[in-house]
């Protein structure tokens, strides 16, 4: 059994990426034996995802400039394993009444906690583009994982579409790995980046990395277009993606390719926090509803959030907020707090917050493009719901916010539960009502966090 | 501060399926109606239930009401001008091997139901599995109704509300009535923001919240708020036409499922949790989801191979005998009730609306409503 300190406190950490690793390290140092539950087969999270056992690519090939950080996070976690109750390959599908419901290999248990530290990470923020339902359209994160974990590309000739650092990072990783990168198509104008340079300078080496990635892509002769609008992803129901047309000003470009990797920066994975009844508030800078936490990550009711699952502040900051959240949990459980360490971590976090606000300014979510997406464009891919159907739920059926629109139109009702259409649906609903985006509300999270089999059985009673 | 007072022939408190369909049929009879809903129409139990349009298994004395309702379901698309996804694809009720006495009960029920115009076909275990090969080996016998089916609860009440509005009814959402009383001829209703509504007739269709409204008129009706355990699977090729349920005295075995035309299978039953009408909250307890999965796997083992993508619940008002309160008040002339449907109001909903409209407009109905009298619990 695990999860408790000498006074019997049971602490559960969800997620074994950089935030979860540092949280676990902090708890173990304080004499606790936390339970660490992770969906991954191996620790590292998405950003420092490890390759399968029999793969032998070096850290430098897998993680580039972040190789040393990846190595350190992995080594830290590996050293912790004897001191924690580590449950890999395990899905947390619900949280209720002070218990985490975790499932593994068809069995589930309700595990009680005195403190719950949620390090649930992020997924891509996606925008609907005409034709994006074609086979061969991937999220940037998905395209990166295919390469990082399995050493495969999502296509022979890959088109990169969206905005944000990940757009350039993944395109460059594909190019380095020998994949044919057809084009990098950024919806953000270059001028925005220059205006955000002051804030981005809060992390000078990350700013420099970003510039190098762009230069590297251009040096390879890959077309990099900024400030574009996607017109259509061309494709066929059977053969999938064939290419893309984009426009800027009065001009259009067509690029051929058999796969699209797309994403508009990231969004926090907040389902677990939602099920744990953490309150949410609207964040104007990112036009999203985010869980409410204090500086240290406290979300109330013995729940703590850290890493990108709370705010998109990046992998480096996840290590900081992971430690902060664990320190907050320890303090709340009666352990003596290290005020100097806390101050130092909060100062580091402040720099990352400034950098993140620069990224939001440099690589904005294309709210207008999404709000004006054509009627026949599919908004919800899980349920194949078009913008026209969603707009009709607002018009004819008088839905005023996302959950009502979901009930009428099915947007967000499928297996992703609105992860990939929720942001866009809110924009479309708000625009259809000529109302502010926050009035469209947010899709309430419902269990299970990810699909669970009807064959799942409880084994703890 | 004074705001204009809304006067109508009938005021309705509660915009679920009962209230919305009553508003529609009252408006159709030419009465002016104000329907007052705290939140949005059809969002509570009417929008979160399983969606069974099932007559069989209801008390025999309820079948005339259920028959009236099914005629409305069949015409709903034309009558309302929008699709509520009614699918008359049959309903099968089965019993398990260890309860062979249920076969006799099924036969007896089928005989009585036939007299009320509901044809049921009794099927042996072998005949059942031949027709519905996805049923499990523990299923002993079944009763099949070809003329029942299912519909989409999320669409039904709002569709009635929109159709009522087209006939002139005022559908007033986001309006919580905090007090009502009868002064001389009229009921005086006060909303949380001070707006006033007056009508000589008041119909209470406020579901789990109706006990509070009835209490304003000294009609104390104990309602227990409960929350159903609902789940839905990922879509799979359409293969299961009828809605399926279990006949058993053991509540934990009472699971049911149906497949919608686009392929998802909606699962329900086995357990109910507490719900919290004062907070407008209900929760699916994870342990109930697990119990439900276990019993569903026994009823239809093939389901065990599917994934559930979402669970949900709602707030339902239960009476002591699980029968609704439906009819005139025992104390206040002009006051009518239709609530406490105890988790089985969806099918009869439109029939309740039409019957209440008839009762209010004409003073009488041929539908037997005596079993639902408000004063049957004494007091």
């Amino acid at each position: 059994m695990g999860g408790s300190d000498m006074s019997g406190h049971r602490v559960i950490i969800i997620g074994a990426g950089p935030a979860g690793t540092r949280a676990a390290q902090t708890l173990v140092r304080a004499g606790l034996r936390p339970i660490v539950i992770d969906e991954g087969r191996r620790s590292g999270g998405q950003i420092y995802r490890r390759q399968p056992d029999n793969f032998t690519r070096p850290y430098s090939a897998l993680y580039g400039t972040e190789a040393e950080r990846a190595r350190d996070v992995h080594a830290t976690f590996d050293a912790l394993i004897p001191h924690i109750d580590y449950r890999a390959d395990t899905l947390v599908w619900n949280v209720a009444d002070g218990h985490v419901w975790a499932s593994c290999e068809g069995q589930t248990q309700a595990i009680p906690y005195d403190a719950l530290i949620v390090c649930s990470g992020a997924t891509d923020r996606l925008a609907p583009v005409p034709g994006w339902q074609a086979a061969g359209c991937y999220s940037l994160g998905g395209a990166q994982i295919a390469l990082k974990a399995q050493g495969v590309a999502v296509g022979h000739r890959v088109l990169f579409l969206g905005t944000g650092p990940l757009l350039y990072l993944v395109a460059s990783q594909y190019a380095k790995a020998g994949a044919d990168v057809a084009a990098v198509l950024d919806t953000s104008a270059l001028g925005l980046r220059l205006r955000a340079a002051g804030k981005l300078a809060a992390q000078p080496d990350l700013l420099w990395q970003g510039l190098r990635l762009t230069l590297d892509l251009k040096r390879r002769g890959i077309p990099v277009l900024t400030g574009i609008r996607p017109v259509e992803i061309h494709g066929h129901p059977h053969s999938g993606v064939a290419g893309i047309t984009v426009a800027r000003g009065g001009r259009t470009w067509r690029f051929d390719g058999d796969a699209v990797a797309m994403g508009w920066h990231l969004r926090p994975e907040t389902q677990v926090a939602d099920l744990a009844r953490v309150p949410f508030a609207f964040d104007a800078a990112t036009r999203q509803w985010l869980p409410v936490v204090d500086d240290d990550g406290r979300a109330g009711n013995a729940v703590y959030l850290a890493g990108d699952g709370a705010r998109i502040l990046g992998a480096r900051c996840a290590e900081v907020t992971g430690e902060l959240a664990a320190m907050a949990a320890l303090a709340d459980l009666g352990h003596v707090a290290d005020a100097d360490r806390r101050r130092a971590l909060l100062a580091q976090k402040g720099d990352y917050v400034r950098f993140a606000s620069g990224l939001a300014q440099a690589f904005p979510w294309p709210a207008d493009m999404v709000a004006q997406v054509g009627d026949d464009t599919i908004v919800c891919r899980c349920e194949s719901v078009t913008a026209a159907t969603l707009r009709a739920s607002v018009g004819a059926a008088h839905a005023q916010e996302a959950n009502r629109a979901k009930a009428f139109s099915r947007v967000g009702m499928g297996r992703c539960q609105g992860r990939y259409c929720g942001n866009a649906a809110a924009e479309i609903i708000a625009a259809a009502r000529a109302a502010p985006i926050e009035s469209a509300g947010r899709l309430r999270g419902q269990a299970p966090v990810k699909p669970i089999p009807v064959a799942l059985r409880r084994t703890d009673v | 501060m004074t705001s204009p007072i809304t006067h109508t022939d009938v005021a309705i408190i509660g915009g679920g399926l009962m209230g919305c369909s009553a508003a529609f049929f009252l408006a159709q009879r030419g009465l002016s109606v104000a329907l007052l809903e705290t939140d949005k129409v059809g969002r509570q139990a009417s929008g979160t239930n399983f969606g069974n349009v099932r007559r069989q298994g209801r008390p025999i004395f309820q079948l005339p009401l259920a028959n009236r309702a099914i005629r409305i379901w069949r015409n709903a698309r034309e009558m309302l001008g929008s699709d509520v996804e009614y699918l008359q694809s049959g309903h099968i009720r089965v019993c398990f091997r260890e309860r062979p006495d249920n076969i006799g009960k099924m036969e007896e029920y089928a005989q009585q139901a036939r007299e009320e115009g509901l044809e049921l076909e009794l099927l042996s275990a072998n005949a059942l599995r031949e027709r519905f090969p996805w049923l499990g080996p523990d299923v002993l016998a079944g009763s099949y109704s070809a003329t029942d089916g299912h519909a989409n609860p999320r669409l039904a009440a709002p569709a009635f509300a929109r159709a009522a509005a087209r006939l002139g009814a005022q559908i007033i959402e986001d309006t919580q009535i905090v007090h009502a009383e009868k002064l001389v001829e009229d009921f005086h209703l006060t909303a949380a923001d001070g707006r006033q509504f007056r009508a000589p007739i008041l119909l209470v269709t406020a579901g789990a919240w109706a006990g509070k409204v009835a209490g304003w008129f000294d009609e104390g009706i104990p309602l227990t708020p409960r929350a159903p355990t609902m789940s839905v699977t990922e879509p799979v090729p359409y293969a299961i036409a009828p809605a399926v349920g279990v006949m058993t005295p053991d509540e934990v075995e009472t699971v049911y499922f149906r497949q919608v035309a686009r392929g998802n299978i909606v699962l329900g039953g086995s357990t109910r949790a507490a719900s919290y009408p004062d907070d407008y909250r209900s929760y699916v307890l994870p342990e109930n989801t697990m119990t439900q999965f276990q019993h569903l796997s026994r009823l239809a083992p093939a389901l065990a191979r599917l994934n559930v993508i979402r669970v949900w619940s709602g707030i339902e008002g239960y009476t002591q005998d699980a029968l609704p309160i439906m009819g005139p008040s025992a104390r206040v002339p002009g006051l009518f009730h239709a609530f406490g449907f105890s988790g089985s109001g969806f099918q009869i909903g439109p029939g309740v609306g039409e019957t209440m409209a008839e009762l209010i407009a004409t003073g009488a109905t041929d539908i037997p409503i005596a079993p639902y009298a408000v004063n049957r619990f004494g007091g």
Side-chain angles (χ1 to χ4, degrees):
Chain A
M1 265 316 284
S4 59
D5 59 8
M6 287 192 297
S7 49
H9 290 132
R10 300 157 303 181
V11 182
I12 296 178
I13 298 169
I14 300 175
T21 298
R22 293 304 173 200
Q25 182 183 33
T26 307
L27 294 170
V28 168
R29 272 193 196 137
L32 275 74
R33 186 180 169 83
I35 298 176
V36 180
I37 305 173
D38 188 46
E39 256 190 283
R41 200 173 287 277
R42 303 186 67 194
S43 78
Q46 299 294 1
I47 187 79
Y48 302 136
R49 177 180 279 265
R50 302 197 203 194
Q51 58 190 338
D53 287 331
N54 52 338
F55 282 45
T56 56
R57 289 166 294 170
Y59 270 75
S60 59
L62 286 168
Y63 310 108
T65 57
E66 304 303 281
E68 282 316 303
R69 285 175 184 275
R71 195 193 305 275
D72 189 47
V73 167
H74 290 166
T76 300
F77 194 89
D78 291 346
L80 287 170
I81 289 175
H83 309 288
I84 61 175
D85 179 348
Y86 175 37
R87 306 188 186 188
D89 232 344
T90 300
L91 170 73
V92 171
W93 61 274
N94 209 344
V95 180
D97 193 27
H99 289 71
V100 157
W101 286 74
S103 75
C104 179
E105 291 179 351
Q107 302 189 336
T108 189
Q109 298 177 328
I111 313 170
Y113 62 82
D114 297 304
L116 174 64
I117 303 176
V118 183
C119 310
S120 45
T123 42
D124 297 84
R125 183 157 56 155
L126 296 183
V129 173
W132 72 311
Q133 68 276 19
C137 280
Y138 294 82
S139 71
L140 281 170
Q144 190 185 35
I145 284 165
L147 185 66
K148 209 160 20 180
Q150 301 294 333
V152 297
V154 295
H156 294 291
R157 189 166 165 74
V158 185
L159 297 147
F160 288 83
L161 170 68
T163 200
L166 201 59
L167 177 69
Y168 296 90
L169 177 63
V170 183
S172 151
Q173 287 172 335
Y174 264 62
K176 274 186 195 147
D180 186 359
V181 175
V184 177
L185 307 164
D186 189 336
T187 54
S188 302
L190 197 59
L192 294 171
R193 246 155 284 183
L194 301 175
R195 255 170 276 161
K199 288 175 184 165
L200 295 174
Q203 298 293 327
D205 69 315
L206 287 177
L207 174 60
W208 176 236
Q209 258 182 50
L211 293 171
R212 276 217 337 242
L213 288 174
T214 314
L215 289 173
D216 175 58
L217 290 164
K218 288 195 167 161
R219 207 168 29 234
R220 290 172 189 269
I222 295 166
V224 178
L225 272 64
T226 56
I228 57 91
R229 286 284 173 272
V231 176
E232 187 183 359
I233 293 169
H234 307 286
H236 188 269
H238 298 297
S239 54
V241 171
I244 190 170
T245 297
V246 299
R248 185 176 62 204
R251 234 190 115 183
T252 61
W253 290 261
R254 183 183 164 132
F255 298 96
D256 291 334
D258 61 353
V260 177
M262 62 199 289
W264 280 261
H265 213 43
L266 299 170
R267 52 173 289 285
E269 274 286 289
T270 56
Q271 280 81 5
V272 171
D274 205 355
L275 292 170
R277 302 188 198 174
V278 170
F280 281 65
F282 183 72
D283 178 60
T286 59
R287 297 175 76 82
Q288 299 180 95
W289 289 76
L290 298 176
V292 177
V293 290
D294 73 3
D295 286 345
D296 303 82
R298 282 185 191 84
N301 291 323
V303 178
Y304 305 79
L305 307 183
D308 279 354
R311 293 282 181 286
I312 303 299
L313 297 173
R316 293 184 183 182
C317 188
E319 294 185 49
V320 174
T321 55
E323 185 174 351
L324 271 172
M327 286 171 64
L330 284 168
D332 296 347
L333 292 172
H335 288 248
V336 178
D338 180 344
D340 290 340
R341 179 69 183 157
R342 176 173 176 266
R343 257 193 303 278
L345 290 169
L346 285 174
Q348 287 182 45
K349 183 183 166 188
D351 285 343
Y352 289 111
V353 169
R354 187 168 158 74
F355 182 74
S357 74
L359 286 181
Q361 191 183 343
F363 303 104
W365 162 249
D368 292 342
M369 174 192 106
V370 172
Q372 290 153 20
V373 72
D375 263 351
D376 53 357
T377 302
I378 285 179
V379 176
C380 166
R381 295 206 301 185
C382 296
E383 297 285 309
S384 289
V385 185
T386 62
T389 304
L390 177 57
R391 287 178 180 131
S393 76
V394 177
H398 317 302
Q400 293 172 344
E401 52 80 48
N403 294 289
R404 190 68 163 168
K406 169 181 165 185
F408 291 153
S409 72
R410 312 192 67 89
V411 162
M413 217 168 234
R415 63 180 292 137
C416 91
Q417 291 212 35
R419 279 178 178 86
Y420 299 116
C421 66
N423 292 125
E427 298 287 356
I428 293 167
I429 293 163
R433 297 183 60 231
I437 176 74
E438 55 267 39
S439 72
R442 68 182 188 93
L443 291 170
R444 282 185 296 271
Q446 285 163 303
V449 172
K450 291 195 179 155
I452 51 170
V454 176
L456 190 64
R457 291 294 176 269
R458 204 178 166 178
T459 52
D460 59 345
V461 284
Chain B
M1 196 189 82
T2 56
S3 48
I5 299 169
T6 304
H7 288 269
T8 51
D9 296 330
V10 184
I12 302 176
I13 298 180
L17 183 53
M18 310 306 169
C20 292
S21 61
F24 173 78
F25 289 110
L26 284 164
Q28 211 176 45
R29 288 174 175 271
L31 278 74
S32 63
V33 178
L35 181 146
L36 302 149
E37 163 55 42
T38 303
D39 183 19
K40 306 289 182 195
V41 294
R43 193 162 199 167
Q44 305 298 337
S46 298
T48 54
N49 69 81
F50 175 67
N52 228 350
V53 181
R54 159 190 72 85
R55 286 176 294 166
Q56 75 162 323
R58 293 182 178 276
I60 292 294
F61 62 77
Q62 197 173 82
L63 288 180
L65 178 61
N67 289 338
R68 181 175 215 172
I70 200 121
R71 286 193 289 274
I72 303 168
W73 282 113
R74 286 173 189 153
N75 294 321
R77 190 198 303 251
E78 293 71 28
M79 196 170 69
L80 305 177
S82 66
D83 188 13
V84 297
E85 296 178 11
Y86 174 63
L87 207 58
Q88 189 162 303
S89 53
H91 178 268
I92 178 105
R93 198 163 171 243
V94 304
C95 61
F96 284 127
R97 197 168 291 286
E98 69 276 15
R99 299 189 196 283
D101 52 316
N102 276 339
I103 295 183
K105 287 180 188 158
M106 276 181 176
E107 282 168 352
E108 189 187 348
Y109 184 87
Q111 216 160 37
Q112 293 172 336
R114 183 168 297 123
E115 289 168 25
E116 296 293 341
L118 173 61
E119 284 296 329
L120 299 174
E121 184 184 356
L122 295 180
L123 298 166
S124 68
N126 288 342
L128 263 179
R129 263 181 291 282
E130 200 162 299
R131 264 167 81 171
F132 309 113
W134 28 263
L135 286 169
D138 287 349
V139 171
L140 177 64
S143 165
Y144 178 70
S145 165
T147 53
D148 285 347
H150 49 93
N152 188 335
R154 293 191 316 277
L155 304 181
F160 273 100
R162 287 196 301 275
R166 279 197 294 274
L167 295 177
Q170 299 179 56
I171 307 296
I172 305 168
E173 297 182 312
D174 303 310
T175 300
Q176 184 179 19
I177 298 302
V178 293
H179 188 65
E181 60 188 327
K182 190 173 184 188
L183 296 172
V184 198
E185 293 292 302
D186 276 354
F187 290 89
H188 290 222
L189 281 61
T190 307
D193 61 3
R195 274 175 297 154
Q196 299 281 320
F197 302 88
R198 292 198 187 154
I201 303 284
L202 174 61
L203 171 60
V204 182
T205 50
W209 293 264
K212 188 185 277 180
V213 180
W216 295 333
F217 299 98
D218 295 323
E219 263 175 330
I221 298 151
L223 283 181
T224 307
R226 303 180 78 184
T229 303
M230 304 301 309
S231 314
V232 65
T233 72
E234 61 203 326
V236 286
Y238 185 73
I240 299 175
V244 186
V246 179
M247 178 185 186
T248 169
D250 188 358
E251 189 181 352
V252 79
E253 289 182 351
T254 55
V255 287
Y256 34 86
F257 64 89
R258 67 184 178 101
Q259 186 173 25
V260 302
R262 63 183 305 286
N264 308 71
I265 299 178
V266 184
L267 316 170
S270 172
T271 46
R272 296 180 184 93
S275 67
Y276 309 92
D278 290 343
D279 304 327
Y280 288 84
R281 286 273 179 271
S282 60
Y283 302 99
V284 178
L285 303 182
E287 56 268 39
N288 287 356
T289 302
M290 290 299 99
T291 311
Q292 180 185 66
F293 284 8
Q294 190 187 331
H295 287 279
L296 277 162
S297 302
R298 183 178 181 219
L299 174 60
L303 294 180
R305 292 158 62 183
L306 303 180
N307 286 308
V308 158
I309 60 174
R310 186 162 34 88
V311 305
W312 73 93
S313 191
I315 302 171
E316 298 177 332
Y318 281 75
T319 62
Q320 287 162 4
D321 57 7
L323 290 173
I325 311 288
M326 186 179 161
S329 158
R331 300 181 63 95
V332 183
L335 177 63
F336 293 84
H337 300 305
F339 58 81
F341 286 86
S342 306
S344 41
F346 186 66
Q347 189 276 339
I348 54 177
V352 171
E354 191 175 36
T355 301
M356 294 311 293
E358 180 189 21
L359 190 60
I360 287 167
T362 70
T365 177
D366 289 339
I367 300 291
I369 55 169
Y372 317 128
V374 61
N375 55 2
R376 69 182 184 272
F377 304 111

